Amino acid sequence: MPEAGHNSVAADELKKLMDRIETLDDERVALGEQIRSVYMEAKAAGFDTKPIRKLVALRRRDRGQILEDKAMLELYASALGCLDLV
């Protein structure tokens, strides 16, 4: 049985893949820092970041799914007699 790393072609390909993953991970970290910075900027401008985060998440979702979830929430709230919460 060949030793690990014996096939230099496979080792080169693996190293390239690992390099790409590490580069993308570094970029993800940098993007996360930029996003946090924008939220800090919003907060400094007097905006509440909690609803902004919720709106960002909602805008990523399919409109049909949002409406379906809202209808189900309203149905459950009505069944529990707390429709004024939604």
Side-chain angles (χ1 to χ4, degrees):
M1 182 154 116
E3 293 179 29
H6 177 72
N7 185 341
S8 64
V9 174
D12 289 343
E13 183 177 357
L14 179 59
K15 181 169 179 355
K16 287 177 186 176
L17 290 169
M18 293 295 297
D19 288 345
R20 285 177 49 202
I21 290 168
E22 289 169 347
T23 298
L24 290 169
D25 195 44
D26 290 343
E27 290 173 8
R28 178 176 49 187
V29 169
L31 286 173
E33 291 170 359
Q34 290 176 21
I35 291 169
R36 279 189 294 281
S37 176
V38 173
Y39 279 113
M40 287 174 27
E41 184 179 334
K43 190 171 186 171
F47 293 103
D48 184 349
T49 58
K50 189 173 181 179
I52 292 173
R53 289 180 187 277
K54 287 185 179 190
L55 286 170
V56 167
L58 279 172
R59 289 171 51 135
R60 288 185 180 147
R61 294 181 55 206
D62 175 64
R63 181 170 172 72
Q65 186 63 49
I66 292 169
L67 293 174
E68 185 179 320
D69 290 350
K70 182 180 178 194
M72 190 62 68
L73 179 64
E74 289 173 352
L75 176 67
Y76 287 4
S78 176
L80 295 172
C82 56
L83 192 55
D84 57 331
L85 295 178
V86 291

